[in-house]
Amino acid sequence: MPEAKPEAKKAPKDKDAPKETPPKDASAEAPKEAPPEDQSPTAEEPTGLFLKKPNSVSVEAGKDTVIVAKLNGKELSGKPTIKWFKGKWLELGIKSGTRFSFQEIHDSASNVYTLELRIGKVVLGDRGDYRLEVKSKDNCDSCGFNIDVEEPRQDASGQSLESFKRSGERKPQGAGELDFSSLLRKREVAEEEEKKKKKKKSDDDDLGIPPEVWELLKGAKKSEYERIAFQYGITDLRGMLKRLKKVKAEVKKSSAFTKKLDPAYYVDQGNKIKLVLEISDPDLPLKWFKNGQEIKPTGKYMFENVGKKRILTINKCTLADDAAYEAVVNDEKCFTEVFVKVLPVLIITPLEDQQVFVGDSVQMMVEVSEEEAEVIWMKDGVEMIPGDSRQARYRFKKAGKRHILIYPDVTQEDEGRYQVKTNGGQCEAELIVGVKQLEVLQDIADLTVKASDQAVFACEVSDEKVTGKWYRNRVEVRPSKRITISHTGRIHKLVVDDVHPEDEGDYTFVPDGYALSLSAKLNFLEIKVEYVPKQEPPTIHLDCSGKTAENSIVVVAGNKLRLNVAITGEPPPVTTWLKGDEVFSATEGRTRIEQRVDYSSFVMESTERSDEDRYTVKVASSSGECMTSIFVKIVDVPDPPEAVRVTSVGEDWALLVWEPPKYDGGQPVTGYLLERKKQGSYRWMKLNFEVFTDLTYESTNMIEGIFYEMRVFAVNAIGVSQPSMNTKPFMPVAPTSEPQHLMVEDVTDTTATLKWRPPERIGGGGIDGYLVEYCLEGSNEWIPANTDPVERCGFTVKNLPTGAKITFRVVGVNIAGRSKPATLTQPVTIQEIVEKPKIRLPRHLRQTYICKVGEQLNLLIPFQGKPRPKVVWTKGGAPLDSSRVHVRTSDTDTVLFVRQVARSDSGEYELSVQIENMTDTATISIRVVEKAGPAENVMVKDVWGTNALVEWKPPRDDGNSEVTGYLIQKADKKTMEWFTVYEHNRHISCTVSDLIMGNEYYFRVYSENICGLSDSPGVSKNTARILKTGLTLKLFDYKEHDFRTAPKFLTPLIDRVVVAGYSTALNCAVRGHPKPKVVWMKNKTEIHEDPKFLMTNHQGVLTLNIRRPSPFDAGTYSCRAVNELGEALAECRLDVRVPQ
C-alpha cells in the first residue's frame, strides 16, 4: 500500500502564458516548479526521539492510508512502548484488527525503529487530530498529526476538458475552432453545483465523529454528553452541541420502533445481557448487527420474540462482545453499545522465594483466579517483555490459571526481586543465585612412561558442566593425531599416544571460570640396551599414581583403581598378591588380578570402604625373590550427622544441635550445611552457603506459628554427605507479654481474690492459662497458688494466714514457657473488711407486686455487706412456709421462689440482713389476683318502647382486684344467640335500646378486672318483652311475576389471532332462567374432558381457557346455551400463528 504523502502546492498559473503550449515545454517545466517531497512545507526537523515525525495527510473516503514515523534507537534504553491516540484520550490499540493495524520494525544495523499505522477504507469519522506517544525506561516523547478525509469527488476537470473541444466534429484534431461559449455555459453550471455542495457539506458536517457515536449522543441525556465526548476523544464540544441541537430539532418519530434500545449497556465479564426493543408491527422483519456484521442465532446469541418485543440475549460476555450493536427494520436502524467490564484478576497462589545455584533450572509460578488472564512480570521494578525473552534467556509459559517464568540456565545476573501484577493485586518474591564451589574429586597423578607408550592424564571435578583447558609447560595443548582431549561427565582426560621425549614436562588442567588448576608431571623413561646376564633376580618396579606417602595410595570411593606393577627378572618370576595376610588370587569380579608378561595389575572396580587395606605383591624365581607393600586408603563422603534436634525456640528463631557423624569418610569433617522447610512443603531452603564448623546453629527469620523441619549435611574434602534425619516439626513461638491491670477484687480472713486482663501480645503460640504466685512479707520465696494453669482472668487464693502481708504476681503460660510476671505494687493484708449491710431493693418491688394465680414467683433481691450477712425472711412477722416458699441466699443476693402462687400467698414479706449488731430491713408487698366472680341479681327493672333498664349487684368475689367494668349481652328468646351491647361499663345498671318490637329478650352480665372477664356471667331472672302498640299487618294481593327467560348471549365470541405457545382465553356472557346448560364445541364437535381446555362459568360469564395453543388448535369455536325455554349459539374463529 503506498504511503499517503501531504499534497504538494500547485504552481500558480501564469496569466500571460500562451493559450497553447507544446507538451515538451510543459513536461520540462513541471519538475522545476514542484517542490521535492522531503522539502514539504509541513516537514519539521527531527527532535527528541523522533528521526521522522508522522505527517498530516488528506485521504479520500474509502481508500487506505499509512502513517509512518521513525525513532532513534540510540536514545532508547530498551524496547519502547508505542501508543497511538485519536484526540486526547481515545487509544487506537482497542480497535486493532478491525480497520486499524500497527507494525513495528527494528533495524539492528542502524538501530532505527520504524512505526506504521495502517487505516483501511477510511471513513469520514476518521478525520481529526491524532497523537503518537513513545515511552521507554528513561525517556518519553510524543508528537501530533492530522488526518483529513474528503468525500469521493467526480473528475470535474475531465468534464471541463471534454467541453474544451473543436467545433468541427469530423475534422482532424489540429483543425477547427474551440467552442468557448459551450465551455463558459458548463463552467457556470459547475460553479453553481459546487456552491450547493459546499453549502450542503457545511450543513452535514459531522465534525469527524463516527455515525454510531452520533446515534449514542442522540439517545443520551445532556448530563452524559461530557462523559461520551471524553470517552471518544471529541474535542470540539461547541460544534457537537450545535449539531445535536439541529439533529434533535429534525428528529422524526420512528414508524418501525415504538421503543428503541438504550444508548449503552454495561455487563460484567462472564455474565449474560439482554438487549430489548419494541417494534410497531410484529410482522416486520428485524435483523441484528454487530460492528456492521449480521448476527446469526447460535448458542452465544439467542433471539426471542414476545409479542412486539424483540430480545437479543448474549451469553457469557467476553471482551470480544464489547462492540457496537444495531437493529435494522427495513430502512430504519436503532443503535446501542455494549461495554464489558473486566473482572479483577486475583492472585490465588503467590510467588515463593527461591535459592539456586548458577546453571540450575528455575521455574517461578503464580496462580491467578481467571484463565487466560493478562499478568505483568517485573524484575527489580522493570517490566519483563516477552519479546525480549530470547535475548534474556528466559521464557514465559501459561497453563490454565498458572503463569510460569522459566530460566533454563540461571546466572548471577538473573538474581533480584520479581513481581507479578494483575488488575486485582500483586505479589513478589526474591530469587537468590549462589555460586557452586568446584570440588576436585580426583587429582591428576604424575606419570612415568617409556617411549612409544601411552600417557593418560585424568581428573574428576564435582560439576559435569565445567569445561577447561590443558597446558604443557604453560603452553596450551591442542588436539592432534597423537593427542586426544575428552570430557565425559565429570571426568576430563588428556591422552598422549606414542610418547616422545619432547612430550616430557609439567601438564596442567585449568577449569574455565574458576581460580583453580590441577598439575602433574610426565617423566620420560629412556630405555638403554645393556648386556644383562641370564640370571637376573626378580625386581618390582612400582608406580603409585596419586600416592600421598611412601607406598600409600588414596582413592575416592566409587572410583576405579588399577595398581600396575612392572616386573623384571630372568627367568620370569611368579607373582603373588596378598590382601592383608591372606593370598588374593581371583581373576574375575569387581576386584581381580590381571597378569601380563612384564607386569601384574590389581584392579578394583568402583572401590568401596571395605577395600581399604595393605596390599603386598611378591615375585619369586630361581634367581631370588622381591616383595613390596602398598597401603590403599579409601576416602568417601562422611556419614550424615546424628542426633539432630531443636533444643529451644523463640519468636522467630530456633536453636539446632547435632552430633558429628560416626564415620568421617577418611577425611576430617570441614563443616556442615543446613537446610530448613515448612512442614508439608517439598522445597528446602539453604541456611548457609559457606560451611558451618560448630555443632550448634541458631536459625533466624522464621514466621511465628508455622511448623518447620530442619536437616544437616556433613562436608569433608571429598564432598557432601547424605542429609540427616529431619528434626521433629517445631514451631517458633515466644512467651506472651505479662498480664495487664492486675488488681485485688476481694479479701477475706483466709482468701484473696485477684483479677487481671489478658496480655497485650499473645503471639502464634496462644496462651494455655495463668499461674498465680504469692510471697510473704520478709521472704524471697514465691509460693505457687495453683499448679494447673487457669484459663479465666481471675483466681481466688485460699488458705492464707490471717493478718499476713502478701505480695501477689501472675504469669501467662504457653508452649514457649512462662511470660514476664505482673506483680502488685504493694502487699495485701489478709483481713476481712467489715462493710455495713444494705439491701438494694429493685425499683419494681418498691410498690405492691401483683401476680396472677398459678404463675411462678421469683424475686431476686441483691444486698451488700462483709462478712457474709445473715438473711432472714418473714411474712407478717411469722416464718415462711417452707413447703410452698423456697429461699436461696448467696454472698451478694437472696431469691424468694414460689412455683405456683395462690391467693393465700398475698401479704407483706419482711427481709432482714444482719451483720453482728448492724441490721437492714425491707418490706415487699405481694398481691395475688384472679378473675372476679359473676355479677349477681341481674334483673330487668323497666321496659318502655324499644328500651329496657337492666340492673345488677357487684360480684361477691372480686378476685383480690378491683372490678374495672362489666360486659352486657342480649339474646332473643327465640334464637338464644347472644350479642354484646356494652363493654367496659363501669356502672351496675344500663339501658338497652333499639330492641325489636314483638321480641322477648334475656340479658347477662360478665365482671371484668385486671385478669379479664369472669368465667361465667350473671343471667337475668326475668325477660324484657317489647310489645307492639296500635300496628296491624295487612297483606296486599299481588300476582307473582314469571322470571323465566330463554338463553341469550349478551356478549358474543370474538375472532382471535394468537401466537403459538402462549395461553389464551375465549370469553362471552349469557343470560337465562332457569340457568342454562353450557356446551363448548370446536369445529362443531363437543369438547369433553381435555386437560388442554379449562371451562368456567361465573354468574353467566363463560370462559374457555386454551393452554399453550399450537397450529392444530386453530379452527371455529362455538358456545351453546340450552334450557327448557330454548337455546342460543355464539361462534368465533381462532387462528394460531407460529413466530418466524
Side-chain angles (χ1 to χ4, degrees):
M1 185 184 300
E3 179 181 342
K5 303 292 183 182
E7 294 181 345
K9 293 184 178 179
K10 296 182 180 180
K13 295 182 179 180
D14 189 358
K15 295 182 179 180
D16 299 333
K19 295 180 179 178
E20 296 184 6
T21 307
K24 295 181 180 179
D25 299 339
S27 62
E29 292 177 1
K32 296 180 181 179
E33 295 176 0
E37 198 172 324
D38 56 354
Q39 296 179 5
S40 173
T42 60
E44 300 179 359
E45 292 297 328
T47 59
L49 302 177
F50 290 94
L51 293 176
K52 178 183 177 182
K53 294 186 176 181
N55 296 324
S56 299
V57 297
S58 178
V59 189
E60 185 177 340
K63 294 186 178 180
D64 300 343
T65 184
V66 179
I67 307 299
V68 181
K70 294 186 178 181
L71 302 177
N72 185 6
K74 298 178 182 178
E75 300 291 335
L76 300 171
S77 57
K79 184 178 180 181
T81 302
I82 309 299
K83 291 185 179 180
W84 298 82
F85 295 89
K86 180 181 179 184
K88 289 185 177 181
W89 312 109
L90 181 59
E91 186 178 352
L92 299 180
I94 61 175
K95 298 186 176 181
S96 177
T98 54
R99 293 186 300 106
F100 294 81
S101 60
F102 311 92
Q103 188 175 5
E104 301 177 15
I105 303 173
H106 180 225
D107 186 358
S108 57
S110 59
N111 200 5
V112 173
Y113 290 87
T114 302
L115 313 178
E116 291 186 1
L117 165 62
R118 296 175 180 268
I119 308 177
K121 296 181 180 180
V122 177
V123 298
L124 293 176
D126 293 331
R127 66 182 172 187
D129 294 328
Y130 290 76
R131 179 165 56 91
L132 171 60
E133 185 178 286
V134 180
K135 289 184 179 180
S136 65
K137 183 178 180 181
D138 302 322
N139 300 335
C140 65
D141 200 356
S142 64
C143 64
F145 59 95
N146 180 270
I147 297 179
D148 187 18
V149 182
E150 298 181 354
E151 294 183 356
R153 56 194 176 208
Q154 299 178 353
D155 193 358
S157 60
Q159 295 178 358
S160 300
L161 292 177
E162 184 181 357
S163 62
F164 210 125
K165 61 183 178 180
R166 305 283 179 178
S167 58
E169 293 293 338
R170 298 185 179 180
K171 294 182 181 181
Q173 189 174 358
E177 298 180 359
L178 297 173
D179 189 359
F180 285 100
S181 60
S182 176
L183 175 62
L184 291 174
R185 284 196 302 272
K186 292 186 176 181
R187 181 178 179 183
E188 291 175 358
V189 173
E191 289 178 355
E192 290 178 0
E193 291 179 354
E194 187 69 24
K195 290 180 181 178
K196 291 180 180 179
K197 289 181 180 178
K198 288 183 179 179
K199 184 177 180 182
K200 184 178 180 181
K201 182 178 179 181
S202 64
D203 294 338
D204 299 339
D205 190 9
D206 57 2
L207 305 176
I209 302 175
E212 56 269 19
V213 181
W214 280 119
E215 290 295 330
L216 185 63
L217 288 168
K218 289 177 187 177
K221 299 179 182 178
K222 291 184 179 181
S223 59
E224 297 180 352
Y225 287 168
E226 186 175 355
R227 178 185 63 78
I228 297 173
F230 176 80
Q231 181 178 352
Y232 290 94
I234 302 173
T235 55
D236 189 1
L237 294 178
R238 183 174 295 176
M240 180 191 75
L241 294 175
K242 287 182 178 180
R243 171 70 185 276
L244 277 175
K245 190 175 182 181
K246 290 182 182 180
V247 170
K248 291 199 171 184
E250 299 172 358
V251 169
K252 296 181 180 179
K253 187 175 181 181
S254 173
S255 60
F257 298 97
T258 58
K259 180 181 178 183
K260 293 189 176 182
L261 297 169
D262 294 341
Y265 294 84
Y266 299 87
V267 63
D268 291 336
Q269 185 179 11
N271 294 344
K272 72 176 182 179
I273 189 173
K274 290 188 176 183
L275 311 183
V276 184
L277 58 82
E278 291 185 8
I279 57 179
S280 58
D281 186 354
D283 296 332
L284 289 175
L286 181 138
K287 294 183 179 180
W288 293 92
F289 293 86
K290 172 186 173 184
N291 288 338
Q293 296 183 353
E294 185 177 356
I295 303 174
K296 299 296 182 182
T298 60
K300 176 79 173 178
Y301 303 100
M302 299 176 62
F303 299 162
E304 295 182 60
N305 299 338
V306 183
K308 295 183 180 181
K309 287 186 179 180
R310 297 295 182 264
I311 304 173
L312 168 63
T313 303
I314 307 174
N315 295 314
K316 295 182 180 179
C317 292
T318 63
L319 288 179
D321 299 318
D322 189 304
Y325 293 81
E326 60 180 332
V328 179
V329 176
N330 296 333
D331 295 334
E332 295 193 30
K333 299 180 180 180
C334 179
F335 296 91
T336 188
E337 192 163 1
V338 175
F339 297 93
V340 179
K341 181 181 178 181
V342 180
L343 297 177
V345 179
L346 305 179
I347 295 178
I348 305 301
T349 305
L351 296 174
E352 292 186 358
D353 296 340
Q354 295 192 38
Q355 291 184 346
V356 295
F357 291 103
V358 173
D360 290 349
S361 176
V362 178
Q363 292 189 1
M364 305 187 74
M365 187 273 290
V366 65
E367 184 177 354
V368 296
S369 59
E370 301 292 336
E371 293 188 0
E372 301 300 328
E374 294 296 330
V375 302
I376 299 176
W377 288 86
M378 303 185 71
K379 176 180 179 290
D380 296 330
V382 180
E383 183 178 354
M384 303 174 69
I385 302 174
D388 297 343
S389 59
R390 283 176 286 184
Q391 301 177 1
R393 304 181 308 280
Y394 59 83
R395 62 187 176 90
F396 297 103
K397 179 182 177 182
K398 291 183 180 179
K401 297 181 181 180
R402 295 184 177 183
H403 295 255
I404 306 172
L405 170 63
I406 301 175
Y407 279 101
D409 189 3
V410 71
T411 64
Q412 283 191 311
E413 298 177 357
D414 301 325
E415 185 177 35
R417 194 150 196 89
Y418 289 79
Q419 284 183 314
V420 173
K421 293 184 178 180
T422 66
N423 60 353
Q426 66 178 17
C427 64
E428 61 181 26
E430 189 170 2
L431 177 63
I432 301 175
V433 182
V435 180
K436 288 184 180 179
Q437 298 293 332
L438 188 64
E439 300 177 5
V440 179
L441 303 181
Q442 182 176 355
D443 204 347
I444 307 174
D446 294 340
L447 298 178
T448 301
V449 296
K450 297 181 291 184
S452 301
D453 283 355
Q454 184 186 67
V456 179
F457 291 98
C459 64
E460 184 178 0
V461 294
S462 59
D463 193 348
E464 297 180 356
K465 299 180 180 180
V466 172
T467 60
K469 297 179 181 179
W470 290 88
Y471 295 89
R472 181 171 65 83
N473 297 330
R474 300 183 180 180
V475 177
E476 185 178 355
V477 178
R478 299 288 184 179
S480 62
K481 293 181 179 180
R482 294 191 307 110
I483 300 176
T484 304
I485 299 176
S486 63
H487 173 200
T488 305
R490 298 182 298 184
I491 299 176
H492 297 260
K493 283 187 179 182
L494 171 64
V495 180
V496 182
D497 296 325
D498 190 14
V499 176
H500 295 172
E502 57 268 19
D503 295 329
E504 187 175 14
D506 293 327
Y507 286 80
T508 305
F509 175 72
V510 179
D512 295 334
Y514 294 92
L516 177 68
S517 63
L518 307 177
S519 300
K521 188 173 183 180
L522 176 62
N523 298 314
F524 183 76
L525 181 61
E526 295 184 0
I527 300 175
K528 297 181 179 180
V529 180
E530 297 180 356
Y531 173 76
V532 179
K534 292 182 180 181
Q535 294 293 327
E536 180 183 354
T539 305
I540 298 174
H541 305 278
L542 186 61
D543 177 17
C544 294
S545 300
K547 61 183 179 180
T548 58
E550 189 66 26
N551 290 344
S552 179
I553 297 178
V554 178
V555 183
V556 178
N559 290 348
K560 180 179 179 180
L561 174 64
R562 175 184 288 271
L563 297 176
N564 294 326
V565 179
I567 301 171
T568 59
E570 284 293 338
V574 177
T575 306
T576 303
W577 287 88
L578 289 86
K579 179 181 180 182
D581 297 332
E582 298 180 359
V583 176
F584 187 87
S585 60
T587 58
E588 293 182 357
R590 186 181 64 84
T591 55
R592 61 187 182 274
I593 297 173
E594 296 180 358
Q595 299 286 355
R596 297 292 186 269
V597 176
D598 52 354
Y599 67 92
S600 178
S601 299
F602 194 95
V603 180
M604 300 181 192
E605 300 283 353
S606 183
T607 55
E608 300 175 353
R609 295 182 182 178
S610 59
D611 295 330
E612 181 173 332
D613 208 335
R614 178 170 296 279
Y615 293 84
T616 305
V617 56
K618 292 182 179 181
V619 292
S621 67
S622 57
S623 301
E625 66 177 20
C626 183
M627 180 178 64
T628 186
S629 297
I630 304 170
F631 184 79
V632 177
K633 183 177 182 181
I634 307 298
V635 294
D636 197 357
V637 296
D639 287 344
E642 298 183 343
V644 180
R645 61 198 180 277
V646 175
T647 58
S648 59
V649 295
E651 182 177 1
D652 63 345
W653 57 269
L655 192 65
L656 184 67
V657 178
W658 63 92
E659 299 294 336
K662 290 183 179 180
Y663 175 65
D664 61 1
Q667 295 288 330
V669 176
T670 58
Y672 302 91
L673 297 176
L674 300 97
E675 292 181 348
R676 78 172 181 222
K677 73 176 182 68
K678 297 177 183 177
Q679 186 183 16
S681 175
Y682 297 98
R683 188 184 298 276
W684 288 91
M685 176 180 175
K686 291 188 179 297
L687 300 180
N688 61 318
F689 288 99
E690 300 293 335
V691 293
F692 187 75
T693 57
D694 293 339
L695 298 178
T696 303
Y697 181 82
E698 181 179 347
S699 177
T700 58
N701 298 328
M702 291 190 286
I703 303 174
E704 185 179 5
I706 302 296
F707 280 97
Y708 289 88
E709 296 179 6
M710 300 179 70
R711 64 184 183 184
V712 185
F713 299 80
V715 182
N716 64 4
I718 306 303
V720 181
S721 71
Q722 293 294 318
S724 66
M725 296 293 293
N726 297 349
T727 63
K728 294 181 179 179
F730 65 92
M731 178 193 299
V733 291
T736 65
S737 59
E738 66 274 6
Q740 302 183 89
H741 306 292
L742 176 63
M743 59 183 296
V744 178
E745 186 178 20
D746 190 17
V747 179
T748 67
D749 289 340
T750 58
T751 64
T753 302
L754 307 176
K755 68 177 182 179
W756 58 89
R757 291 184 181 178
E760 181 180 359
R761 184 188 60 79
I762 294 179
I767 185 166
D768 297 335
Y770 303 92
L771 294 177
V772 180
E773 298 175 342
Y774 63 89
C775 178
L776 298 174
E777 187 178 27
S779 174
N780 294 327
E781 181 185 0
W782 287 94
I783 303 171
N786 58 322
T787 56
D788 297 329
V790 293
E791 296 183 358
R792 63 185 186 91
C793 295
F795 186 76
T796 299
V797 183
K798 300 180 181 179
N799 302 324
L800 298 176
T802 304
K805 292 185 177 181
I806 299 177
T807 303
F808 295 92
R809 71 180 183 183
V810 179
V811 295
V813 180
N814 67 358
I815 191 175
R818 294 161 55 101
S819 69
K820 294 181 179 179
T823 308
L824 288 176
T825 56
Q826 295 180 354
V828 178
T829 302
I830 307 304
Q831 185 176 358
E832 185 77 41
I833 301 174
V834 178
E835 183 180 356
K836 184 179 180 180
K838 184 174 181 60
I839 299 173
R840 301 290 185 181
L841 192 64
R843 184 180 300 274
H844 67 282
L845 295 179
R846 296 177 186 176
Q847 54 191 3
T848 301
Y849 183 79
I850 300 175
C851 60
K852 297 179 182 179
V853 172
E855 290 184 349
Q856 186 184 82
L857 179 64
N858 191 355
L859 303 181
L860 173 67
I861 302 175
F863 58 82
Q864 64 185 29
K866 290 185 180 181
R868 180 174 178 173
K870 179 181 179 182
V871 178
V872 178
W873 283 90
T874 59
K875 179 183 177 183
L880 300 179
D881 184 4
S882 59
S883 62
R884 289 191 48 79
V885 183
H886 304 277
V887 176
R888 181 192 61 80
T889 304
S890 67
D891 293 341
T892 57
D893 55 40
T894 180
V895 176
L896 178 68
F897 177 75
V898 180
R899 187 175 300 278
Q900 288 184 343
V901 295
R903 291 271 293 274
S904 60
D905 294 323
S906 301
E908 292 187 351
Y909 291 77
E910 297 86 14
L911 172 63
S912 173
V913 180
Q914 181 179 0
I915 300 177
E916 296 178 356
N917 58 349
M918 296 178 290
T919 306
D920 190 17
T921 60
T923 302
I924 299 98
S925 178
I926 299 176
R927 185 169 63 178
V928 182
V929 299
E930 61 181 348
K931 293 181 179 179
E936 296 186 343
N937 297 329
V938 181
M939 297 289 291
V940 178
K941 291 293 185 179
D942 193 9
V943 178
W944 69 97
T946 59
N947 306 311
L949 176 63
V950 182
E951 292 182 356
W952 62 90
K953 292 183 178 180
R956 294 181 183 177
D957 183 10
D958 60 359
N960 203 19
S961 176
E962 179 186 2
V963 176
T964 58
Y966 299 92
L967 174 71
I968 300 94
Q969 292 182 336
K970 68 179 180 180
D972 187 0
K973 187 176 180 180
K974 297 177 182 178
T975 61
M976 289 306 291
E977 292 184 7
W978 294 96
F979 298 93
T980 300
V981 179
Y982 291 104
E983 290 181 338
H984 311 299
N985 185 57
R986 301 187 63 85
H987 301 287
I988 58 175
S989 65
C990 71
T991 300
V992 182
S993 305
D994 298 331
L995 299 176
I996 300 173
M997 285 187 177
N999 290 354
E1000 189 175 357
Y1001 291 92
Y1002 280 99
F1003 300 92
R1004 66 183 183 184
V1005 180
Y1006 287 90
S1007 303
E1008 184 179 8
N1009 64 2
I1010 192 173
C1011 296
L1013 297 175
S1014 60
D1015 294 331
S1016 60
V1019 184
S1020 62
K1021 297 180 180 179
N1022 58 344
T1023 61
R1025 183 177 178 85
I1026 309 301
L1027 300 177
K1028 301 177 182 178
T1029 58
L1031 297 176
T1032 304
L1033 176 63
K1034 183 179 179 180
L1035 299 177
F1036 293 95
D1037 295 332
Y1038 66 92
K1039 183 180 180 181
E1040 184 177 356
H1041 180 73
D1042 187 5
F1043 289 96
R1044 297 183 300 164
T1045 58
K1048 180 182 177 180
F1049 282 95
L1050 303 178
T1051 303
L1053 294 172
I1054 301 174
D1055 294 342
R1056 295 288 304 274
V1057 179
V1058 298
V1059 179
Y1062 293 89
S1063 300
T1064 187
L1066 303 179
N1067 301 299
C1068 62
V1070 67
R1071 181 179 66 184
H1073 188 77
K1075 184 177 179 181
K1077 179 183 178 183
V1078 178
V1079 178
W1080 286 92
M1081 294 176 290
K1082 173 189 173 186
N1083 296 331
K1084 298 185 178 180
T1085 302
E1086 184 177 353
I1087 299 174
H1088 294 285
E1089 297 294 332
D1090 189 343
K1092 191 176 187 69
F1093 300 94
L1094 176 63
M1095 293 165 281
T1096 61
N1097 183 352
H1098 181 67
Q1099 296 182 355
V1101 178
L1102 309 178
T1103 304
L1104 175 64
N1105 292 285
I1106 307 174
R1107 181 176 175 272
R1108 302 182 68 179
S1110 64
F1112 176 75
D1113 297 320
T1116 301
Y1117 287 79
S1118 55
C1119 180
R1120 176 181 294 168
V1122 181
N1123 68 2
E1124 59 187 16
L1125 298 179
E1127 67 177 23
L1129 182 68
E1131 293 182 345
C1132 71
R1133 175 69 184 175
L1134 177 66
D1135 292 329
V1136 180
R1137 179 172 297 172
V1138 179
Q1140 300 296 326

